[in-house]
Amino acid sequence: MKTLTLSLLLISTLISTLELNGQGQPATLTGYVFIDKNNNGVRDSNEIGVKGARVSNQSEIVTTDANGSYSIASSGSLGNLFVIQPEGYVVRGLFWRPIDQTSTYDFPLIASPKASTFTFIHASDTHLGDQSLPRFKKLKAIVDSLKPAFMIVTGDLVKDALRVPEKEASRLYELYKDQSSKFSVPVWNVPGNHEIFGIERHKSLVSESNPLYGKKMFRHYLGPDYYAFSYGGIQFIGLNSVDYDDLWYYGHIDSLQLTWLKKLIATTSIETPNITFNHIPFYSAGMSMGPYTDEEPGSSLISINGKKQWRHVVANAEDVIHAFNGYNFPIALGGHFHFEQKFTFETTSNKTEFHQTGAVVAPTSEGGFEMPSGIVLYTVANGKIIGRKFIAIR
């Protein structure tokens, strides 16, 4: 009886200490965002905090105080905590942490002078697997030669997690994680439809109760599926534009993400340029080049709550556009259609260009046109895009 009483006391003390939120996580998360002077990943006594850095749990966004400390609730999170890379710094290591029973999460930064001129790469649709690995290595060779500041990859990272068992989907995620870590520059990823694990259950035979089902597998392996970072005077916003209903994916920004986006914009200077990047594009000329089809798995329309809508563009794109009302939103990057294109959408409050790039995995054919495989190299000067060059992968 004494042993049982002592055990219950210890459990009660542990729960009280952690203030668990019912999901095995502390109710409040705290930590520091600091300048890692000796680059060891640990906050030493002589290393100062960064004031005004933003930390998010994919629901709330808080800013650090004068000492670089923050406090944020774990409730409402999707399992990850991340720092939004501030201007003048780069994140050391991963910009995110999986939330577990730990209550303290520090984020080391390395001071980096603001880059007035730099380049970055937009790649998409790598569909990485055993057969496409040589193409991925060609991409790495191009990136290594161009030496951009970073690379953005707008989804369909792996060959397929939609319709395969967990073992195969996990293997492909591990392959992508391993190969992308070998790049000489930071790689910023967002999910495509091929990263949404197991939802075509008639083929994958995966249960909806699987802990990695749907969007959770991406978050497990690659961190938050929407986030932001700043570099060179621009705020880059990665979004997850893939949603699903029963067996089928479709283009959509869910309500939690849209609310988070509005909070992010509210913490951003109205003059700061915002560039979004996501897989299924907000709008695309690509749909008019291909035939209409009612057949799955690639039907043109999907019925959500009794209302039919396009599957291969973001159904509520106008909600995203309106969220930037009055703010600087020059470019939206997308993938999915496997060919390079761009057009401009101009309203009384915004002038936004919508850009897509070719598929890394291979050239494609649509509407009688041959589309080359490739990436786009952007040149930025003083916070503005001054150059855009498509580079074919042969």
Side-chain angles (χ1 to χ4, degrees):
M1 182 62 72
K2 288 183 178 180
T3 301
L4 178 60
T5 302
L6 179 60
S7 298
L8 290 173
L9 179 61
L10 288 172
I11 291 171
S12 176
T13 302
L14 179 61
I15 292 174
S16 176
T17 301
L18 291 177
E19 297 180 304
L20 297 181
N21 65 358
Q23 299 177 332
Q25 301 169 347
T28 302
L29 310 175
T30 60
Y32 287 89
V33 179
F34 67 96
I35 301 174
D36 191 8
K37 292 174 63 177
N38 59 3
N39 199 25
N40 67 351
V42 178
R43 182 171 178 260
D44 299 309
S45 59
N46 65 331
E47 292 177 331
I48 62 174
V50 176
K51 178 183 178 181
R54 293 171 293 175
V55 175
S56 179
N57 60 9
Q58 289 198 270
S59 176
E60 301 300 324
I61 301 173
V62 298
T63 56
T64 55
D65 64 16
N67 297 315
S69 68
Y70 69 89
S71 177
I72 189 171
S74 66
S75 59
S77 78
L78 299 177
N80 291 313
L81 184 71
F82 63 94
V83 63
I84 297 172
Q85 178 176 286
E87 191 65 56
Y89 300 91
V90 293
V91 178
R92 184 196 181 280
L94 294 177
F95 74 101
W96 60 279
R97 306 282 187 272
I99 300 173
D100 50 29
Q101 291 189 350
T102 306
S103 60
T104 301
Y105 299 86
D106 292 344
F107 293 99
L109 304 178
I110 299 172
S112 175
K114 181 178 177 180
S116 58
T117 303
F118 67 96
T119 61
F120 72 91
I121 283 174
H122 173 205
S124 195
D125 296 82
T126 53
H127 292 264
L128 185 58
D130 298 331
Q131 291 185 332
S132 58
L133 182 56
R135 300 284 302 178
F136 200 82
K137 291 183 176 180
K138 284 185 177 182
L139 170 64
K140 180 181 181 300
I142 292 173
V143 173
D144 288 347
S145 68
L146 293 173
K147 297 180 174 59
F150 55 86
M151 178 172 70
I152 285 169
V153 189
T154 52
D156 277 4
L157 313 174
V158 302
K159 179 183 177 182
D160 184 39
L162 267 176
R163 53 185 75 95
V164 298
E166 181 181 344
K167 183 177 180 180
E168 175 61 7
S170 295
R171 185 185 75 83
L172 292 171
Y173 264 99
E174 291 282 7
L175 178 63
Y176 183 86
K177 187 175 178 180
D178 173 65
Q179 291 297 316
S180 61
S181 71
K182 296 178 180 179
F183 280 71
S184 57
V185 302
V187 179
W188 300 90
N189 304 292
V190 287
N193 47 287
H194 280 272
E195 279 72 66
I196 310 302
F197 168 56
I199 65 169
E200 293 187 13
R201 297 184 302 280
H202 56 301
K203 294 182 179 179
S204 69
L205 304 182
V206 172
S207 169
E208 291 179 86
S209 64
N210 187 298
L212 296 178
Y213 186 78
K215 303 176 185 181
K216 297 185 186 76
M217 182 170 276
F218 181 94
R219 296 173 190 148
H220 174 74
Y221 282 103
L222 297 173
D225 53 340
Y226 55 88
Y227 56 89
F229 68 94
S230 294
Y231 191 90
I234 297 175
Q235 179 167 255
F236 294 85
I237 306 172
L239 297 173
N240 182 355
S241 59
V242 186
D243 216 336
Y244 61 92
D245 180 69
D246 194 18
L247 302 176
W248 312 116
Y249 72 85
Y250 66 105
H252 182 247
I253 302 293
D254 63 56
S255 58
L256 179 63
Q257 186 177 181
L258 186 60
T259 299
W260 174 88
L261 176 62
K262 292 176 181 177
K263 292 176 182 177
L264 176 74
I265 295 169
T267 67
T268 304
S269 167
I270 197 167
E271 293 85 13
T272 299
N274 296 278
I275 294 180
T276 58
F277 59 101
N278 43 275
H279 182 65
I280 296 179
F282 298 129
Y283 307 105
S284 177
M287 288 198 307
S288 64
M289 299 182 69
Y292 176 88
T293 177
D294 285 325
E295 297 179 1
E296 299 298 354
S299 63
S300 300
L301 296 177
I302 190 171
S303 183
I304 303 296
N305 298 322
K307 182 180 179 181
K308 288 187 177 182
Q309 57 193 46
W310 296 113
R311 281 186 69 189
H312 302 289
V313 291
V314 173
N316 59 336
E318 66 275 11
D319 293 333
V320 179
I321 305 303
H322 288 318
F324 286 98
N325 188 33
Y327 282 77
N328 193 348
F329 182 26
I331 295 176
L333 304 178
H336 192 54
F337 282 91
H338 287 215
F339 55 88
E340 190 268 344
Q341 59 177 296
K342 75 183 184 78
F343 67 94
T344 302
F345 182 89
E346 189 165 357
T347 69
T348 54
S349 59
N350 286 103
K351 180 179 179 180
T352 304
E353 293 185 3
F354 297 85
H355 297 185
Q356 293 168 56
T357 186
V360 170
V361 64
T364 191
S365 177
E366 191 71 74
F369 297 97
E370 296 297 323
M371 308 297 178
S373 168
I375 59 175
V376 175
L377 177 70
Y378 287 88
T379 302
V380 182
N382 300 317
K384 293 184 178 181
I385 302 292
I386 62 168
R388 179 179 186 273
K389 179 181 180 183
F390 180 80
I391 299 172
I393 301 177
R394 305 190 188 281

